[in-house]
Amino acid sequence: MYRIPDKDSVYKIKYPGTKSDITVKFEELLNEEQLEVVTSDLGPSICIAGAGSGKTRVITYRVAYLLSKMNLRGKVVLLTFTNKAAKEMLSRVGQIVSNYHSFVVGGTFHHIAVAYLRKFAEVLGFKKEFTILDNEDSQELIELTLDELSLKRDSFIQASVLLDLYGLMINTLKSAEDIILEKRPYLLKYADEITRVFIRYNHKKETLSLMDFDDILKFFFILLSQHKEVKKSITEEISYVLVDEFQDTSPIQAEIAYLLASETNNIMVVGDDAQSIYSFRGACVDNMLNFPKRYKDCKIFNLKFNYRSTENILSIAQDIISSNKEQFKKELKPIRREGDKPWLVSAEDSEEEARFISSRIAELINDGHKPSEIAVLYRAHSHSMELQMELSKANIPFVIRSGLRFFEQAHLKDLTAFLRILYNTDDEISFRRLVKMFSGIGNSAAKTLRDKFLASKMDIFEWIKSVKDPPSGKAKIGFEEFKRIMIGVEKLRDERPSEILGLFVKEFYSDFLKRHYPDAVERLIDVEFFVDFVSRYNNLSELFSELSLISNLEVERGKGAEKSIDDYVVLSTVHQAKGLEFKSVFIMGLAEGMFPSQYSMSKDRELEEERRLFYVAITRAKDHLYLSYPNSVIRQDSNLFIKRRSRFLDEIRDIDKKVKLISIEYEE
């Protein structure tokens, strides 16, 4: 067992002063606000860095200033959200202070934590050479745990969903039951079993000296909070803690930062509460909002000068974010001139909205804009479905930062496979994909069922009712469920495709998603949009002709010459676009239930995060901003559903003066 050495048996090498003879004229390199932050005294401080205000520059020069001017006697710990960000910042520091390597430790929370855990693992009961599991290994260990507890893998929550819950528990410092109630209420019926799984899972890891990705933070927090001598040993070597993107830290990450700085209280956190948009990952905006309450004597700095966007764009962003109650009040000051007025476009429906965006993008490209300088942002990936189709038809190349193309996603392929079986029973790939969704049916059982179906020479409904020898073992339950669904579908076989698909989703697929995917709610939104899309078609022949057209256009385009990254328009969710900037930005789907999301409108706290998300979207634009919304959608019952434009648009003051109101007409 590891023992903390006695003080008398330890020789400590004292750090030489970090003060450098290098003369840096900080006042010539920074504006007045930035200089105040960079040259501030030691002690706790918070820097509220507005969008486009030079946050990275401030952090870089703050580290350089600490090393060259403050004569520190310990390390500076720079905590970032990616190791890439830390390397970039430290590379810039190295251009100013060449010998920084001895005095700065930079990286993600996990990166810093692992280094200390390796040193003190035995204190926690782990071997020094403990193994860190990757995601695939963690899932496998969860699956072994399910087997040991006799929980059927096919019918119980899948390992990926359990790992997601476990990660949220660690990051939020909450119990499994609290997380389920707050984040995944549809899993409440499994709460007792989930707790049993986590207890066994943790026991197995500790017995085998294993940690998963989330355990790294858990055990580092335990090391710092429950082992005083270890904490003292670690913190005595640290002179200063600097945290980037503090608005995106989880509760456990914030606590770790506080503990690392506890010896001196020399801590600076940098970020923008108005850009806190990752609560679904466990991030907590309260970390930033409550920092001045935790450190009563902390200095508060504001970076308000925006170097990115025009005055007209920033004015709208300011109007939007000012409606949030929980925030540091701020007002961005544009460095750039007034610029063009943003457009506000009212479209008849989502198809027309997509046509407008596609047409306008074509015009911008023809006017000399690089496609890569144009981005279309949306709240949910499903909102881009029609746009992807229109861009494909117009032969405008695009790249998707928010994941796969809409129809290539696993859950959309599942639904398409179901419909293809009704359209073409010879489609073996779709048949296998469909039956394997049901509990216990694997590759072997799927092949057997397929062979029996073909041998019967019946249509699928007649065959499934006539089966006398269903699969045995685990596959039997799944087959009976498949049979029940198909008998229900048969009663609707003469109805529109959307009616049939709606039954499949309601009776089976909705629950399937909740058990199989951590982001089930987002996928269900996609499913809802797909069902609405299918409702436009009277029969499956029309539907698959359209889908085939899009697929073939993609194939044809792929046969052309290789394109550089500059040749692609960017499509992205707002979450994926954070930190990026573009000359021209389209924000689409600005209707109630779309943006803000239908799941956020009943809770003030969630609605405020949606507003921050819109603020982030607006502040990605440098020169041109286009805001658009559909006035209606056709639902699966074929009725026209009138939509109201987003409440966020109504928060723009003097909207008639600040935006250019655009209506859509068609040329011959």
Short mmCIF file of all heavy atoms in Angstrom, two decimals, residues 378-396:
data_model
loop_
_atom_site.label_atom_id
_atom_site.label_comp_id
_atom_site.label_asym_id
_atom_site.label_seq_id
_atom_site.Cartn_x
_atom_site.Cartn_y
_atom_site.Cartn_z
N TYR A 378 -28.46 24.92 -37.55
CA TYR A 378 -29.81 24.51 -37.16
C TYR A 378 -29.77 23.91 -35.77
O TYR A 378 -28.72 23.49 -35.27
CB TYR A 378 -30.39 23.50 -38.17
CG TYR A 378 -29.37 22.56 -38.77
CD1 TYR A 378 -28.93 21.43 -38.08
CD2 TYR A 378 -28.82 22.83 -40.02
CE1 TYR A 378 -27.97 20.59 -38.63
CE2 TYR A 378 -27.86 21.99 -40.58
CZ TYR A 378 -27.44 20.87 -39.88
OH TYR A 378 -26.48 20.03 -40.41
N ARG A 379 -30.93 23.88 -35.14
CA ARG A 379 -31.03 23.38 -33.76
C ARG A 379 -30.87 21.87 -33.68
O ARG A 379 -30.21 21.34 -32.79
CB ARG A 379 -32.40 23.79 -33.17
CG ARG A 379 -32.70 23.22 -31.78
CD ARG A 379 -31.71 23.71 -30.76
NE ARG A 379 -31.95 23.14 -29.44
CZ ARG A 379 -31.48 21.97 -29.04
NH1 ARG A 379 -30.78 21.20 -29.86
NH2 ARG A 379 -31.71 21.54 -27.81
N ALA A 380 -31.48 21.15 -34.62
CA ALA A 380 -31.42 19.69 -34.63
C ALA A 380 -31.09 19.20 -36.03
O ALA A 380 -31.48 19.83 -37.03
CB ALA A 380 -32.75 19.09 -34.16
N HIS A 381 -30.38 18.11 -36.11
CA HIS A 381 -29.93 17.58 -37.39
C HIS A 381 -31.10 17.33 -38.35
O HIS A 381 -30.98 17.52 -39.56
CB HIS A 381 -29.17 16.27 -37.14
CG HIS A 381 -28.40 15.77 -38.31
ND1 HIS A 381 -27.71 16.60 -39.17
CD2 HIS A 381 -28.20 14.52 -38.77
CE1 HIS A 381 -27.13 15.88 -40.11
NE2 HIS A 381 -27.40 14.61 -39.89
N SER A 382 -32.24 16.94 -37.81
CA SER A 382 -33.41 16.64 -38.65
C SER A 382 -33.90 17.87 -39.41
O SER A 382 -34.50 17.73 -40.48
CB SER A 382 -34.55 16.10 -37.77
OG SER A 382 -34.83 16.99 -36.71
N HIS A 383 -33.63 19.06 -38.90
CA HIS A 383 -34.09 20.28 -39.57
C HIS A 383 -33.41 20.49 -40.92
O HIS A 383 -33.89 21.27 -41.74
CB HIS A 383 -33.85 21.50 -38.68
CG HIS A 383 -34.56 21.44 -37.37
ND1 HIS A 383 -34.32 22.33 -36.35
CD2 HIS A 383 -35.51 20.59 -36.90
CE1 HIS A 383 -35.08 22.02 -35.31
NE2 HIS A 383 -35.81 20.97 -35.63
N SER A 384 -32.29 19.79 -41.13
CA SER A 384 -31.54 19.97 -42.38
C SER A 384 -31.96 18.99 -43.47
O SER A 384 -31.38 19.00 -44.56
CB SER A 384 -30.04 19.81 -42.11
OG SER A 384 -29.73 18.45 -41.82
N MET A 385 -32.93 18.14 -43.20
CA MET A 385 -33.30 17.07 -44.14
C MET A 385 -33.63 17.63 -45.52
O MET A 385 -33.05 17.22 -46.53
CB MET A 385 -34.49 16.29 -43.58
CG MET A 385 -35.00 15.18 -44.49
SD MET A 385 -36.37 14.28 -43.73
CE MET A 385 -37.61 15.57 -43.62
N GLU A 386 -34.58 18.56 -45.57
CA GLU A 386 -34.99 19.12 -46.86
C GLU A 386 -33.86 19.89 -47.53
O GLU A 386 -33.70 19.85 -48.74
CB GLU A 386 -36.20 20.04 -46.69
CG GLU A 386 -37.52 19.38 -46.97
CD GLU A 386 -38.32 19.21 -45.70
OE1 GLU A 386 -37.81 19.59 -44.63
OE2 GLU A 386 -39.43 18.69 -45.78
N LEU A 387 -33.08 20.59 -46.71
CA LEU A 387 -31.97 21.37 -47.26
C LEU A 387 -30.94 20.46 -47.93
O LEU A 387 -30.44 20.78 -49.01
CB LEU A 387 -31.30 22.20 -46.17
CG LEU A 387 -30.11 23.04 -46.64
CD1 LEU A 387 -30.55 24.06 -47.68
CD2 LEU A 387 -29.45 23.73 -45.45
N GLN A 388 -30.63 19.34 -47.30
CA GLN A 388 -29.69 18.40 -47.91
C GLN A 388 -30.19 17.94 -49.27
O GLN A 388 -29.42 17.81 -50.23
CB GLN A 388 -29.47 17.19 -46.99
CG GLN A 388 -28.70 17.51 -45.73
CD GLN A 388 -28.45 16.28 -44.88
OE1 GLN A 388 -28.14 15.21 -45.38
NE2 GLN A 388 -28.57 16.43 -43.57
N MET A 389 -31.50 17.72 -49.38
CA MET A 389 -32.08 17.30 -50.65
C MET A 389 -31.97 18.41 -51.69
O MET A 389 -31.61 18.17 -52.85
CB MET A 389 -33.54 16.88 -50.44
CG MET A 389 -33.70 15.66 -49.55
SD MET A 389 -35.41 15.29 -49.15
CE MET A 389 -36.02 14.73 -50.73
N GLU A 390 -32.27 19.64 -51.28
CA GLU A 390 -32.22 20.76 -52.23
C GLU A 390 -30.79 21.05 -52.69
O GLU A 390 -30.55 21.32 -53.87
CB GLU A 390 -32.82 22.02 -51.59
CG GLU A 390 -34.33 21.99 -51.43
CD GLU A 390 -35.06 21.90 -52.76
OE1 GLU A 390 -34.58 22.47 -53.77
OE2 GLU A 390 -36.11 21.23 -52.81
N LEU A 391 -29.83 21.00 -51.77
CA LEU A 391 -28.44 21.24 -52.15
C LEU A 391 -27.94 20.15 -53.10
O LEU A 391 -27.18 20.42 -54.03
CB LEU A 391 -27.55 21.30 -50.90
CG LEU A 391 -27.76 22.50 -49.98
CD1 LEU A 391 -26.90 22.37 -48.73
CD2 LEU A 391 -27.44 23.81 -50.69
N SER A 392 -28.38 18.92 -52.86
CA SER A 392 -28.00 17.81 -53.74
C SER A 392 -28.57 18.03 -55.14
O SER A 392 -27.87 17.86 -56.15
CB SER A 392 -28.50 16.48 -53.18
OG SER A 392 -27.86 16.17 -51.97
N LYS A 393 -29.83 18.44 -55.21
CA LYS A 393 -30.46 18.70 -56.52
C LYS A 393 -29.76 19.85 -57.25
O LYS A 393 -29.64 19.82 -58.48
CB LYS A 393 -31.95 19.04 -56.33
CG LYS A 393 -32.81 17.88 -55.87
CD LYS A 393 -34.23 18.36 -55.61
CE LYS A 393 -35.11 17.26 -55.04
NZ LYS A 393 -36.47 17.75 -54.71
N ALA A 394 -29.31 20.85 -56.49
CA ALA A 394 -28.67 22.02 -57.09
C ALA A 394 -27.17 21.79 -57.34
O ALA A 394 -26.48 22.68 -57.83
CB ALA A 394 -28.84 23.23 -56.19
N ASN A 395 -26.70 20.59 -56.98
CA ASN A 395 -25.29 20.23 -57.17
C ASN A 395 -24.35 21.18 -56.43
O ASN A 395 -23.27 21.54 -56.92
CB ASN A 395 -24.92 20.19 -58.66
CG ASN A 395 -23.69 19.33 -58.93
OD1 ASN A 395 -23.42 18.39 -58.18
ND2 ASN A 395 -22.94 19.68 -59.96
N ILE A 396 -24.77 21.56 -55.22
CA ILE A 396 -23.92 22.40 -54.35
C ILE A 396 -23.27 21.48 -53.32
O ILE A 396 -23.96 20.91 -52.47
CB ILE A 396 -24.75 23.49 -53.64
CG1 ILE A 396 -25.37 24.44 -54.68
CG2 ILE A 396 -23.89 24.26 -52.65
CD1 ILE A 396 -26.33 25.45 -54.09
#
